[in-house]
């Protein structure tokens, strides 16, 4: 089976970070990554377990790849000024109209960047702790 | 900061910590009508660069460490939200509330039974301890069961 996580670092980063990959490869050439960014992408096969991409077992790689796929199935939108959800409880910053937000099946919303970072560690809603995969399945069955 | 706007009774943030945002000291007073009424405690919060995706390291510090079945005499706290049940939606305020409530529900002031062994052998960072939480029973990696 193809290995979608190992291999060239630039490719891994492009999967996860999009356009930032260019910046990372530049820092790779210089050999001096900025202190706040890991030179090798780090993944979280389970909460509290962080591992550089090149040390993941095959099982963990499959789990992470599936996770990334599931996250992409969660709807996103731009914040419409809805009064019920005023702030992203992860970064504690108030939503601005037009902010990129992601909707979890439990209808809690977060900034896309904030929630994606968390979901890669733990596939639960930070507010109600509902497991996202179970809820996703239920919502598919219902519709 | 909501801790200042909506303070919890008996919980005060040390005002003089503008220089170091990754280390907070919280002053806490035992709630009225509990075993800890009138006692003063200090809590230290250490935030890693990955906060809020990583839980803060929370320990009791100072001269008065509460005598409680889930608090070791070195200040380490056995509380699941500080490790595996952490959520980025939790804040300093909600963690303080959990700790106040943990103290308040205590029926008998005593140290965890494995206190002396744990304190001698543990890592300085409580997050390095493999805590086992089973409902009301707290089991550390040293397999000592706290009858609580």
């Amino acid at each position: 089976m193809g290995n979608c996580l190992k291999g060239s670092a630039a490719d891994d980063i492009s999967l996860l970070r999009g356009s930032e990959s260019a910046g990372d490869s530049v820092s790779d050439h210089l050999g001096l990554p900025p202190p706040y960014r890991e030179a090798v992408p780090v993944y979280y096969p389970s909460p509290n377990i962080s591992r550089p991409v090149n040390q993941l077992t095959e099982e963990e790689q499959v789990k992470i790849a599936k996770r990334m796929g599931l996250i992409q199935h969660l709807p996103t939108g731009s914040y419409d000024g809805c009064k019920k959800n005023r702030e992203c409880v992860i970064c504690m910053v108030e939503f601005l109209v037009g902010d990129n937000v992601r909707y979890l099946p439990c209808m809690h919303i977060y900034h896309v960047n904030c929630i994606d970072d968390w979901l890669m560690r733990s596939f639960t809603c930070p507010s109600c702790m509902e497991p996202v995969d179970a809820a996703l399945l239920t919502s598919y069955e219902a519709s | 900061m909501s801790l200042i706007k909506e303070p919890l009774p008996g919980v005060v943030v040390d005002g003089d910590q503008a220089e170091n945002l990754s280390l907070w000291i919280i002053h806490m007073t035992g709630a009225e009508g509990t075993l800890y009424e009138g006692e003063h405690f200090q809590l230290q919060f250490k935030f890693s660069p990955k906060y809020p995706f990583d839980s803060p390291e929370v320990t009791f510090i100072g001269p008065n460490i509460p005598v409680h079945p889930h608090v070791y005499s070195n200040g380490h706290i056995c509380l699941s939200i500080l490790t595996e049940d952490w959520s980025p939606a939790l804040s300093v305020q909600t963690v303080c509330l959990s700790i106040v409530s943990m103290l308040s529900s205590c029926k008998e002031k005593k140290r965890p039974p494995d206190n002396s062994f744990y304190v001698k052998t543990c890592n300085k960072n409580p997050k390095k301890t493999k805590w086992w939480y089973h409902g009301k029973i707290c089991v550390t990696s040293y397999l000592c069961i706290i009858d609580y």
Side-chain angles (χ1 to χ4, degrees), chain A residues 7-132:
Chain A
S8 89
D11 193 37
D12 298 329
I13 295 162
S14 66
L15 274 176
L16 202 63
R17 302 248 160 110
S19 57
E20 273 180 28
S21 59
D24 270 11
S25 34
V26 168
S27 62
D28 282 347
H29 289 309
L30 295 172
L32 285 172
Y36 52 85
R37 197 185 293 164
E38 280 95 355
V40 179
V42 172
Y43 289 94
Y44 301 84
S46 310
N48 298 322
I49 298 177
S50 59
R51 241 196 272 289
V53 69
N54 48 11
Q55 288 172 25
L56 291 167
T57 66
E58 192 167 327
E59 201 179 319
E60 286 167 349
Q61 292 176 32
V62 170
K63 185 175 169 188
I64 290 165
K66 278 186 185 163
R67 178 76 58 90
M68 288 161 92
L70 282 173
I71 291 175
Q72 296 313 312
H73 276 275
L74 297 166
T76 57
S78 56
Y79 183 63
D80 57 2
C82 160
K83 295 277 186 290
K84 219 174 77 189
N85 305 295
R86 282 173 179 275
E87 69 161 35
C88 172
V89 295
I90 297 178
C91 63
M92 299 175 107
V93 173
E94 280 187 25
F95 290 121
L96 298 173
V97 174
D99 273 359
N100 234 349
V101 293
R102 199 183 282 287
Y103 302 88
L104 298 195
C106 49
M107 293 315 285
H108 287 114
I109 71 170
Y110 307 91
H111 287 125
V112 171
N113 292 342
C114 296
I115 191 62
D116 288 6
D117 211 342
W118 173 250
L119 292 177
M120 287 302 292
R121 292 154 198 259
S122 167
F123 214 42
T124 53
C125 171
S127 299
C128 62
M129 303 300 186
E130 188 168 69
V132 175

Side-chain angles (χ1 to χ4, degrees), chain B residues 51-65:
Chain B
Y51 179 83
F53 299 107
D54 243 3
S55 60
E57 193 187 310
V58 185
T59 47
F60 279 104
I61 56 163
N64 193 22
I65 308 285

